[in-house]
Amino acid sequence: MGRASKTKNQKKERAAALHNAQQEFGTVPHSFVFHRGCVGKNVRQLILDVRKVMEPYTARALKVRKKNSLKDFVAVAGPLGVTHFLVFSKSPSSINFKLFRLPGGPTLTFKVTQYALIKDVVSSLKRHRMHEQQFTHHPLLVLSNFGLQQIHIKLMASMFQNMFPSINVHKVNLNNIKRCLLVSYDAETQLLDFRHYSVKVVPVGVSKGLKKLLQEKFPNMSRLEDISELLIKDINLSESEAEQDGTHNILELPQAYAGRGNMKAQQSAVRLTEIGPRMTLQLVKVEEGLAQGNVLYHSFVHKTEAEVQEILARKEAKLQLKAERRQKQEADVERKRQQREAHRKKSLAGIRRRQGQDGDSDAEDPGAPEQQDPAEQSDESDAEYYRQEVGEEPDEDLFPKRTKRKQGPSGSALPRKRQRPSQLEQPSAAAGPRPVVPAHRAKHGKPRPRARGPGQTDSRPHGGTGRPQGAPGRKPGRGPRRPGHEGGRKGPKLATSRLTGRGKLLTKGKTVFRQPGHANKGKR
């Protein structure tokens, strides 16, 4: 029962610790360290070393492409909680380092006068002290000589302090402090020294030989005559261990520290070992915003008050003009939208008014008379004319009744399907040749053939088409001669001029009639 309750309490404690850790991780400042432009191999390695300094609250595996702009990093910085950008760039004369404060600035621009990589610093030491456990917590920031009253110095101090989480001296765990970052300002040269150290705490008050035993490193006693020499003399010690401890690095521990002999309320010495990188920086300028605002301070360019006011007035006029253009553009967009809306309403009102006057245009009026097809009206007029002139009823095949053409959805007649010549109706030879429509009928429309009674012949002169079958000069079995045939010579298919029964000419280019048996020449 006790084990179950203990396990339940442990789960609650772990969940609470995880929740607190997530909240703490979200509230502390984060950073991006990257470069802009072509910087070279050594500067790329310097960027990786600076990321080691900023761990664990930085993107250690940040990938940067050439097409990425500063706006791309700003866009992703908000959701990720990034508060600072450390940007390196290279010019033909120097290496530049910019420090951005998100989201609204300011921007500090430094010139890197000297730098050394981690591998250079470690190779210069006889014994270096650096391991992965040191980078699980952020370093302790130490600022030196930043108490001056100049505004740019105070701004630099504030920027460096906000880059790392704040420390509560009453609640801090000393075992979490494994590294130290020292930023020192020299007022004479106006340079900043950027140094990165590893922190080690050793007990004080015992001989260094005994310290070896406490650290489970048994010294070499081949040259000792007695065991007491190990406790009295300092032998076989490294150069760093042989340095003298004093008031500058001896203190009383407020709590137990990791390492043998580091007890609470006991004196211990704090020793620093540089692990790199190392940089010497010179402040060039301070700007408002993200490298796009007013220049608040410049180390090399100094302007008078009148020049500063002129620059500010020019920028203010530029911003005002931009705002006016944007306001005008928004007004134009709103005006066009209102015009489109008014036009739409006017069109809808016109459509409703037309529908109210004409009624439903799609529905048919059952009381309205049906409109006849123009082709049927022409056939009826031709049949009436035939009755008046001949005095008999025309044959059915002389004026065939055309079927009414189908209408489309909009009420217009659909186009007729064109028939092939083989599908055309062949007139019979017994019916005889079709009559010719008088010229006064051909003037007003397509000429229609005129029928003749039985035994009647065409009263045209010799050479026309009124010769009966079996006439001399013609081969038997053939139909009447085609128009224009004379003396065995073929004439044109279209009659140029023909005399009608009343002695009038037809218009040029009009077909008189189609001869039987010659509708499709060559196809039998």
Side-chain angles (χ1 to χ4, degrees):
M1 190 70 180
R3 178 177 296 179
S5 60
K6 184 178 180 181
T7 305
K8 186 176 181 180
N9 294 335
Q10 287 179 350
K11 289 182 180 179
K12 289 183 179 180
E13 292 176 358
R14 290 175 183 175
L18 180 61
H19 180 68
N20 295 335
Q22 290 177 352
Q23 286 185 343
E24 181 182 359
F25 187 83
T27 55
V28 298
H30 294 70
S31 61
F32 277 170
V33 185
F34 55 95
H35 65 88
R36 294 281 79 199
C38 183
V39 293
K41 179 181 178 181
N42 293 331
V43 178
R44 289 177 182 270
Q45 186 60 42
L46 177 62
I47 292 172
L48 297 179
D49 295 346
V50 174
R51 289 181 184 178
K52 296 285 289 183
V53 177
M54 303 301 296
E55 285 188 9
Y57 302 116
T58 188
R60 66 172 67 183
L62 180 64
K63 302 297 182 182
V64 182
R65 295 183 175 87
K66 292 182 179 179
K67 63 181 180 180
N68 293 134
S69 62
L70 187 61
K71 292 183 179 179
D72 299 335
F73 294 97
V74 175
V76 300
L80 298 179
V82 178
T83 58
H84 290 80
F85 285 169
L86 287 75
V87 183
F88 288 85
S89 61
K90 186 177 181 180
S91 66
S93 59
S94 64
I95 298 173
N96 300 321
F97 168 63
K98 288 189 176 183
L99 184 59
F100 294 86
R101 179 67 169 91
L102 299 179
T107 303
L108 274 63
T109 303
F110 297 92
K111 177 183 178 182
V112 182
T113 59
Q114 295 177 352
Y115 72 94
L117 304 177
I118 290 180
K119 61 179 182 180
D120 300 330
V121 175
V122 170
S123 61
S124 64
L125 299 176
K126 186 176 180 179
R127 295 183 63 185
H128 69 86
R129 189 181 302 110
M130 184 173 61
H131 47 83
E132 290 297 329
Q133 287 77 12
Q134 293 176 339
F135 300 96
T136 57
H137 297 86
H138 63 90
L140 176 67
L141 178 64
V142 178
L143 299 178
S144 177
N145 298 331
F146 278 89
L148 302 178
Q149 297 299 321
Q150 286 87 344
I151 186 63
H152 63 280
I153 296 178
K154 292 183 178 180
L155 185 59
M156 283 192 297
S158 176
M159 287 286 288
F160 284 115
Q161 286 177 351
N162 294 329
M163 285 172 57
F164 301 96
S166 60
I167 295 177
N168 189 347
V169 294
H170 301 288
K171 297 181 179 180
V172 65
N173 187 3
L174 297 180
N175 291 315
N176 295 336
I177 302 176
K178 300 292 184 181
R179 294 179 294 136
C180 175
L181 177 61
L182 173 63
V183 181
S184 177
Y185 178 74
D186 191 349
E188 295 181 0
T189 60
Q190 297 184 352
L191 297 177
L192 283 83
D193 293 329
F194 186 93
R195 300 290 186 268
H196 188 213
Y197 297 96
S198 172
V199 178
K200 182 182 179 182
V201 178
V202 294
V204 178
V206 296
S207 64
K208 296 177 181 177
L210 186 58
K211 292 178 185 176
K212 283 283 188 179
L213 293 177
L214 293 176
Q215 296 174 1
E216 297 181 353
K217 296 179 181 179
F218 199 82
N220 185 7
M221 296 185 296
S222 61
R223 291 179 295 175
L224 300 181
E225 297 180 357
D226 193 277
I227 190 64
S228 60
E229 295 181 4
L230 179 63
L231 305 178
I232 299 174
K233 297 180 181 180
D234 296 333
I235 58 175
N236 294 337
L237 300 178
S238 64
E239 182 179 352
S240 60
E241 291 174 334
E243 67 182 29
Q244 296 295 326
D245 294 329
T247 57
H248 62 283
N249 65 336
I250 295 179
L251 52 83
E252 183 178 344
L253 294 177
Q255 54 183 265
Y257 193 83
R260 295 180 181 271
N262 296 322
M263 305 298 294
K264 181 179 180 180
Q266 297 292 330
Q267 287 188 345
S268 296
V270 179
R271 295 178 180 174
L272 304 178
T273 304
E274 188 174 1
I275 58 179
R278 178 188 299 180
M279 289 189 297
T280 302
L281 306 175
Q282 180 182 7
L283 180 65
V284 177
K285 64 180 178 178
V286 180
E287 299 175 85
E288 291 181 349
L290 299 179
Q292 294 180 351
N294 300 327
V295 178
L296 303 179
Y297 170 81
H298 205 290
S299 300
F300 308 122
V301 180
H302 301 281
K303 296 183 180 295
T304 61
E305 188 66 24
E307 293 176 345
V308 173
Q309 294 298 328
E310 182 182 356
I311 293 174
L312 292 177
R314 189 163 56 248
K315 285 190 175 182
E316 186 67 23
K318 186 177 180 180
L319 292 176
Q320 185 177 2
L321 179 61
K322 185 177 180 180
E324 290 178 356
R325 289 178 177 176
R326 180 176 297 178
Q327 186 177 3
K328 182 180 178 182
Q329 184 180 10
E330 292 177 356
D332 292 342
V333 171
E334 181 64 21
R335 178 176 54 82
K336 292 179 180 179
R337 188 189 66 81
Q338 293 179 359
Q339 288 179 355
R340 289 195 301 268
E341 186 68 20
H343 180 70
R344 188 180 69 86
K345 292 181 179 180
K346 186 176 179 181
S347 301
L348 292 176
I351 292 173
R352 295 191 188 98
R353 186 167 54 253
R354 190 180 307 111
Q355 289 179 354
Q357 293 176 359
D358 301 342
D360 191 0
S361 59
D362 296 336
E364 292 184 318
D365 188 1
E370 295 184 359
Q371 296 182 358
Q372 295 182 351
D373 193 2
E376 294 184 359
Q377 295 179 2
S378 177
D379 290 343
E380 292 179 359
S381 62
D382 291 344
E384 185 64 26
Y385 176 77
Y386 181 86
R387 294 188 189 96
Q388 294 177 3
E389 294 293 331
V390 180
E392 296 179 359
E393 289 294 331
D395 298 337
E396 294 182 359
D397 57 349
L398 185 59
F399 301 107
K401 292 183 179 180
R402 300 188 180 184
T403 57
K404 190 175 182 180
R405 297 172 63 181
K406 297 182 179 180
Q407 295 183 353
S410 60
S412 60
L414 295 176
R416 292 184 180 275
K417 184 176 180 181
R418 190 173 183 181
Q419 295 181 350
R420 297 182 180 178
S422 60
Q423 298 175 354
L424 294 175
E425 193 174 1
Q426 300 291 344
S428 60
R434 295 185 179 180
V436 180
V437 179
H440 72 279
R441 294 289 296 171
K443 292 180 181 179
H444 304 286
K446 184 175 180 181
R448 299 292 181 178
R450 183 178 177 184
R452 293 185 298 272
Q456 295 181 359
T457 58
D458 195 357
S459 60
R460 285 177 290 187
H462 182 70
T465 58
R467 180 178 297 176
Q469 294 186 7
R474 296 297 305 277
K475 294 182 181 181
R478 294 289 183 94
R481 186 185 296 270
R482 297 178 63 185
H485 282 232
E486 186 174 359
R489 183 171 56 87
K490 294 183 179 180
K493 294 182 180 180
L494 301 178
T496 57
S497 65
R498 294 289 182 266
L499 287 174
T500 63
R502 300 182 181 180
K504 293 185 179 181
L505 295 176
L506 291 174
T507 56
K508 282 188 176 182
K510 298 297 181 179
T511 304
V512 179
F513 58 87
R514 189 184 303 275
Q515 294 295 336
H518 290 271
N520 296 325
K521 186 175 181 181
K523 296 183 180 180
R524 296 184 179 178

